[in-house]
């Protein structure tokens, strides 16, 4: 079951407003197809790119990719860009239970739902990744989108969304254990970190309440369907003709309303809930980037300390008058002076990159949320309008009972 | 928890339209009600200016007195009102009081308000159920003249109807078993042939109808409950959006705050949808489930009378062949015949009244249900559209 067309949000033009550039590239993930049998089976997805950008040889092309290919792409991008301050969008979560059901061949609604959830998540992941001007230039990304054959990604354990979270938590622990507090010369970073921390908490709370909403709406749908059936049965029993007919009509209305609830629950989930969980994982990536900056600072700091020690050693050697040791010390000092300089450059670079990235991220976040909120409210309006239609059709039937 | 209900127009039940026949001077209403720790006290007021306080057990006593009265065997006895049950509601309020530190003060206040409204709704319903019971009695030309009814309405003191003790409860339970066994026996007795098509039809109809309406009622309850859960979900949702909005420093601030307000208003609308479905659908189905059971009971009593009549015939034949006690057998057979015919005549009328009552009540409630659903859907649409306009207009 694919998303109803009215609620489809992926076919949008993406504009980079700040630079005035028009990022004309659209990614679609579709047609999940099971390949193979048993526990070695996997799902293959069609990745279609539509673009007018000159860096691509064609304007429209598609390839087949499996889930581990996506993880492999993310792993490559993360290893290249995360530690220098770029917010690399996290890949969707792995799910052993969900995937096993699909492999084993359970053709039930829960495995179809799982595949659809994954398909949509993969699509959003790619859309976010290509929206990033730096990542878009990356050859690995282009190879992923264009090559008909892709080398099998191995070791995709490390950097799934959960993997990133683990990594961030480990880094955070390491930072906390450091007795040397980073001398934050720039209040901006401290402020932003706090902001993201708060945002993370709030989004998690909101996400939990939306999940409850989805759950109850599904329950409402199931209960409405059950009631519709019993209303139909009651209508059959009723021996007053006009009332019997009205009850049958009521049953029909309730059946249609059940459909409506299902569609709305779908919208609740794919628009609202998934947006929130995407951002919860994105913020984990942002936190990771801040922590990399801390590590970078620590490295610089350590280099400075080491340089100091080397200078002390040189002084000691001079006093002790050991000429060969003095030369060694001088060499080491030169080596560490270079490292200190590099450390400072790296730190300044990562700080600059992060500032730019956070600015871009926040802009995207505002756009994303606004777009989704509007689409979601429109879905709610649609549901109410349908309800009006159904009840307006029913009212004369009820009045016709004589 | 204390609750008070000043009756008046709002306590008039909308689930039953009562046709007053003939002398309409007997008007009964419940003008006041107080909910105490473990009982509800109803103030029953009669137009002729009698006012007494009665508890649920006394209503049951009155109902049972009618059921056990041979004179009314041919009538549908209005179903007894259900026992006031605040248990679930009380439990929920208690749980809320025990505290969940993760919710904000506003959330707590809203949840408390919701639960109090729920409690009040249950209270109003129980008053309405008790009132409908009395009003149907008052409207019935035969039942209204019952002596126990006047005692119930006029006798100032406590009727001293203690709750049923264990023996009586057990007795009631056994009586029901015997009744169903009897009914099954009677209907499958080869000798017992239903001569009247009308009653044959009614029997088949009522058996099926009662089962199905009970089903429909249960399921309608579940729908209502889901709606209520959905409405309650908007409380933490709105609170989370509010926190987000308060903390944001960019344009999303207004978006989140507007969304928070929207969901708070939608919550109230969704809550009304739930309670309207409850009143117009669930309660109506529940009432006619009980009323159809009362109609079934009437059919059973008539069948019993038919069986007695058949047995009396057989006894008469036997007496004639033996030429012993023919006169006694004759007069007994006469009695049974008259009783059976009396019951059949009045049952026929009662069942036709039941049908017209049912049809008019369903009509009224279904129309009101549809109108209310439309009203709420239109209000929701307006709210949503206004919010969309405000959000789209933002830079």
């Amino acid at each position: 079951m694919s998303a109803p067309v009215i609620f489809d949000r992926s076919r949008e033009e993406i504009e980079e407003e700040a630079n005035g550039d028009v990022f004309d590239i659209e990614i679609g993930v579709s047609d999940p197809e099971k390949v193979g049998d048993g526990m070695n089976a996997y799902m293959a997805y069609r990745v279609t790119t539509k673009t007018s950008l000159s860096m691509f040889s064609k304007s429209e092309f598609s390839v087949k990719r499996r889930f581990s290919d996506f993880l492999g792409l993310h792993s490559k991008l993360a290893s290249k860009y995360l530690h220098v301050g770029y917010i690399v969008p996290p890949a969707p979560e792995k799910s052993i239970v969900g995937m096993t059901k699909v492999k084993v061949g359970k053709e039930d609604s829960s495995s179809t739902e799982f595949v659809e959830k994954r398909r949509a998540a993969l699509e959003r992941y790619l859309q976010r990744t290509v929206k990033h001007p730096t990542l878009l230039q990356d050859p690995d990304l282009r190879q992923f989108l264009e090559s008909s054959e892709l080398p099998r990604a191995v070791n995709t354990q490390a950097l799934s969304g959960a993997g990133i979270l683990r990594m961030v938590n480990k880094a955070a622990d390491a930072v906390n254990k450091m007795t040397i507090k980073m001398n934050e010369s720039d209040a901006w970073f401290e402020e932003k970190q706090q902001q993201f921390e708060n945002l993370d908490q709030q989004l998690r709370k909101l996400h939990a309440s939306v999940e409850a909403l989805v759950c109850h709406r599904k329950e409402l749908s199931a209960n409405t369907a059950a009631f519709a059936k019993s209303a139909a049965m009651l209508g059959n029993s009723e021996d007053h003709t006009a009332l019997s007919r009205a009850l049958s009509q009521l049953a029909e209305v309730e059946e249609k309303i059940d459909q409506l609830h299902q569609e709305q629950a779908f919208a609740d989930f794919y628009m609202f809930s998934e947006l929130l969980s995407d951002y919860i994982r994105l913020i984990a990536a942002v936190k990771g980037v801040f922590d990399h900056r801390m590590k970078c600072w620590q490295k610089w700091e350590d280099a400075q300390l080491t340089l100091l020690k080397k200078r002390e050693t040189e002084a000691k050697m001079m006093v002790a008058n050991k000429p060969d040791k003095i030369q060694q010390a001088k060499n080491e000092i030169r080596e560490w002076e270079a490292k200190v300089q590099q450390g400072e450059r790296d730190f300044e670079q990562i700080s600059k990159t992060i500032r730019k990235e956070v600015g871009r991220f926040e802009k995207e976040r505002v756009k994303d949320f606004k777009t989704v909120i509007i689409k979601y409210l429109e879905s709610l309006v649609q549901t109410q309008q349908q309800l009006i239609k159904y009840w307006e059709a029913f009212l004369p039937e009820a009045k016709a009972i004589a | 928890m204390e609750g008070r209900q000043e009756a008046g127009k709002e306590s008039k039940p909308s689930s039953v339209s009562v046709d007053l026949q003939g002398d309409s001077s007997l008007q009964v209403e419940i003008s006041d009600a107080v909910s105490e720790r473990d009982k509800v006290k109803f103030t029953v007021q009669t137009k002729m200016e009698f006012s007494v306080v009665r508890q649920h057990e006394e209503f049951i006593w009155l109902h049972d007195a009618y059921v056990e009265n041979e004179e009314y065997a041919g009538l549908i006895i209005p179903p007894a009102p259900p026992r006031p049950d605040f248990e679930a509601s009380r439990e929920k309020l208690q749980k809320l009081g025990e505290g969940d530190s993760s919710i904000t003060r506003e959330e707590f206040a809203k949840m408390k308000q919701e639960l109090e409204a729920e409690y009040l709704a249950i209270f109003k319903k129980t008053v309405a159920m008790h009132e409908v019971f009395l009003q149907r009695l008052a409207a019935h030309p035969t039942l209204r003249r019952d002596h126990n009814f006047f005692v119930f309405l006029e006798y100032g003191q406590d009727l001293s109807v203690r709750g049923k003790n264990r023996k009586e409860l057990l007795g009631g339970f056994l009586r029901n078993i015997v009744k169903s066994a009897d009914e099954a026996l009677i209907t499958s007795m080869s000798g017992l042939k239903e001569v009247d098509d009308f009653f044959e039809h009614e029997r088949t109809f009522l058996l099926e109808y009662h089962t199905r309406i009970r089903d429909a009622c249960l399921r309608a309850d579940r729908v209502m409950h889901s709606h209520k859960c959905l409405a309650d979900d908007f409380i933490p949702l709105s609170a989370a959006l509010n926190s987000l909005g308060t903390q944001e420093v960019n344009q999303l601030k207004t978006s989140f705050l507007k969304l928070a307000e929207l969901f708070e208003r939608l919550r109230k609308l969704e809550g009304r949808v739930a309670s309207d479905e409850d009143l117009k659908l669930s309660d109506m189905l529940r009432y006619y489930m009980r009323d159809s059971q009362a109609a079934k009971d009437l059919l059973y009593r008539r069948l019993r009378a038919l069986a007695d009549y058949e047995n009396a015939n057989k006894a008469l034949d036997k007496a004639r062949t033996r030429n012993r006690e023919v006169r006694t057998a004759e007069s007994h057979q006469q009695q049974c015949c008259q009783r059976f015919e009396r019951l059949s005549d009045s049952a026929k009328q009662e069942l036709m009244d039941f049908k017209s009552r049912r049809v008019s009540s369903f009509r009224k409630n279904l129309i009101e249900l549809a109108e209310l659903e439309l009203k709420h859907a239109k209000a929701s649409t307006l709210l949503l559209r206004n919010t969309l306009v405000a959000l789209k207009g933002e830079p």
Side-chain angles (χ1 to χ4, degrees), chain A residues 199-212:
Chain A
L199 187 61
D200 181 43
Q201 276 180 23
Q202 301 298 345
L203 286 179
R204 278 172 198 274
K205 253 174 67 191
L206 184 59
H207 183 244
S209 63
V210 174
E211 285 199 309

Side-chain angles (χ1 to χ4, degrees), chain A residues 10-75:
Chain A
S10 65
R11 313 278 177 246
E12 270 184 332
E13 301 240 324
I14 305 148
E15 284 187 354
E16 180 57 86
E17 280 160 317
N19 306 351
D21 290 349
V22 177
F23 263 84
D24 187 8
I25 176 167
E26 240 177 64
I27 313 279
V29 175
S30 61
D31 305 314
E33 208 186 333
K34 187 167 161 203
V35 178
D37 267 313
M39 288 311 287
N40 289 325
Y42 64 88
M43 231 39 186
Y45 301 87
R46 177 172 298 284
V47 177
T48 309
T49 310
K50 291 200 188 118
T51 178
S52 65
L53 293 172
S54 52
M55 71 173 85
F56 292 101
S57 47
K58 288 187 255 175
S59 63
E60 186 170 338
F61 46 92
S62 75
V63 293
K64 281 277 200 181
R65 296 285 180 254
R66 54 187 292 187
F67 186 67
S68 54
D69 293 335
F70 288 80
L71 294 184
L73 171 67
H74 176 261
S75 171

Side-chain angles (χ1 to χ4, degrees), chain B residues 265-284:
Chain B
R265 297 228 189 113
L266 283 179
R267 174 177 80 89
K268 301 226 166 91
L269 277 172
E270 198 68 36
R272 267 180 232 140
V273 170
S275 80
D276 286 337
E277 279 180 358
D278 189 25
L279 288 172
K280 304 298 170 191
L281 207 48
S282 289
D283 278 356
M284 173 188 71

Side-chain angles (χ1 to χ4, degrees), chain A residues 182-235:
Chain A
M182 174 167 160
N183 202 354
E184 187 56 82
S185 53
D186 196 340
W188 184 92
F189 284 92
E190 221 173 284
E191 223 180 84
K192 282 296 166 191
Q193 269 186 283
Q194 189 56 51
Q195 258 176 41
F196 280 113
E197 190 53 54
N198 292 341
L199 187 61
D200 181 43
Q201 276 180 23
Q202 301 298 345
L203 286 179
R204 278 172 198 274
K205 253 174 67 191
L206 184 59
H207 183 244
S209 63
V210 174
E211 285 199 309
L213 186 75
V214 173
C215 179
H216 285 138
R217 217 190 282 275
K218 284 186 176 164
E219 254 177 50
L220 177 60
S221 157
N223 287 337
T224 306
F227 173 70
K229 290 204 182 82
S230 65
M233 298 278 273
L234 188 64

Side-chain angles (χ1 to χ4, degrees), chain A residues 216 223 238 365 370 401, chain B residues 208 226 233 248 358 363 395:
Chain A
H216 285 138
N223 287 337
E238 176 58 65
R365 183 166 75 88
K370 277 189 143 188
I401 303 169
Chain B
E208 195 183 61
S226 291
D233 282 339
E248 285 284 5
R358 177 175 87 241
R363 179 178 191 275

Side-chain angles (χ1 to χ4, degrees), chain A residues 234, chain B residues 206-216 292 296:
Chain A
L234 188 64
Chain B
L206 273 174
L207 279 171
E208 195 183 61
Y209 187 81
H210 176 78
T211 318
R212 292 185 177 185
I213 198 173
R214 188 182 50 207
D215 242 2
S292 59
K296 271 170 71 181

Side-chain angles (χ1 to χ4, degrees), chain A residues 6 35 37 78 95 100 192 258 300 321 334 372 374:
Chain A
I6 41 168
V35 178
D37 267 313
S95 166
T100 309
K192 282 296 166 191
D258 157 41
W300 177 29
N321 202 9
R334 259 203 301 278
V372 167
I374 287 176

Side-chain angles (χ1 to χ4, degrees), chain A residues 71-348:
Chain A
L71 294 184
L73 171 67
H74 176 261
S75 171
K76 290 197 192 119
L77 294 175
S79 65
K80 282 194 250 181
Y81 298 99
L82 258 184
H83 68 279
V84 287
Y86 288 98
I87 301 170
V88 178
E93 298 284 323
K94 286 179 105 168
S95 166
I96 299 174
V97 175
M99 223 20 228
T100 309
K101 272 207 212 154
V102 174
K103 287 185 203 225
V104 167
K106 279 194 93 193
E107 286 293 318
D108 66 355
S109 64
S110 73
S111 50
T112 345
E113 240 180 80
F114 171 80
V115 172
E116 173 53 28
K117 183 177 167 182
R118 176 163 279 192
R119 183 210 63 81
L122 291 172
E123 194 174 80
R124 293 193 307 271
Y125 163 66
L126 283 181
Q127 291 278 67
R128 290 219 170 82
T129 307
V130 299
K131 260 195 233 175
H132 195 300
T134 310
L135 297 179
L136 183 57
Q137 304 296 329
D138 187 278
D140 283 323
L141 177 57
R142 258 183 287 156
Q143 188 188 40
F144 179 91
L145 292 174
E146 287 185 309
S147 293
S148 46
E149 287 296 314
L150 208 63
R152 254 299 302 273
V154 291
N155 195 22
T156 54
Q157 300 289 334
L159 291 166
S160 62
I164 288 214
L165 209 54
R166 274 196 295 276
M167 191 179 76
V168 166
N169 289 337
K170 260 194 266 172
D173 286 340
V175 169
N176 288 335
K177 287 194 189 115
M178 278 193 264
T179 48
I180 303 164
K181 256 288 175 189
M182 174 167 160
N183 202 354
E184 187 56 82
S185 53
D186 196 340
W188 184 92
F189 284 92
E190 221 173 284
E191 223 180 84
K192 282 296 166 191
Q193 269 186 283
Q194 189 56 51
Q195 258 176 41
F196 280 113
E197 190 53 54
N198 292 341
L199 187 61
D200 181 43
Q201 276 180 23
Q202 301 298 345
L203 286 179
R204 278 172 198 274
K205 253 174 67 191
L206 184 59
H207 183 244
S209 63
V210 174
E211 285 199 309
L213 186 75
V214 173
C215 179
H216 285 138
R217 217 190 282 275
K218 284 186 176 164
E219 254 177 50
L220 177 60
S221 157
N223 287 337
T224 306
F227 173 70
K229 290 204 182 82
S230 65
M233 298 278 273
L234 188 64
N236 278 340
S237 279
E238 176 58 65
D239 64 350
H240 185 276
T241 329
L243 178 55
S244 168
R245 189 172 51 237
L247 285 170
S248 304
Q249 298 285 47
L250 180 68
E252 265 179 51
V253 167
E254 293 288 343
E255 227 180 270
K256 290 193 193 136
I257 290 179
D258 157 41
Q259 251 320 102
L260 221 54
H261 288 315
Q262 270 184 54
E263 283 169 17
Q264 186 59 63
F266 199 92
D268 291 344
F269 180 73
Y270 282 100
M271 283 191 215
F272 209 175
S273 181
E274 287 283 74
L275 174 76
L276 294 170
S277 64
D278 281 352
Y279 268 90
I280 290 169
R281 281 174 310 125
L282 273 166
I283 286 175
V286 174
K287 287 194 204 173
V289 142
F290 275 98
D291 285 333
H292 273 294
R293 178 174 170 270
M294 282 219 166
K295 279 208 237 157
C296 188
W297 180 86
Q298 191 59 49
K299 199 168 163 202
W300 177 29
E301 185 73 8
D302 286 346
Q304 287 179 62
L305 284 172
T306 310
L307 177 61
L308 205 63
K309 271 194 231 146
K310 299 295 175 191
R311 291 215 165 107
E312 282 172 7
T313 308
E314 189 200 25
K316 268 194 236 159
M317 293 304 117
M318 288 190 112
V319 166
N321 202 9
K322 295 192 177 156
D324 44 335
K325 289 270 165 68
I326 292 173
Q327 189 51 45
Q328 188 189 357
K330 280 205 193 303
N331 290 338
E332 285 181 353
I333 286 173
R334 259 203 301 278
E335 188 191 330
W336 281 95
E337 274 175 346
K339 285 194 180 157
V340 167
Q341 275 182 356
Q342 186 61 46
E344 185 175 3
R345 270 201 299 271
D346 286 345
F347 182 72
E348 278 173 4

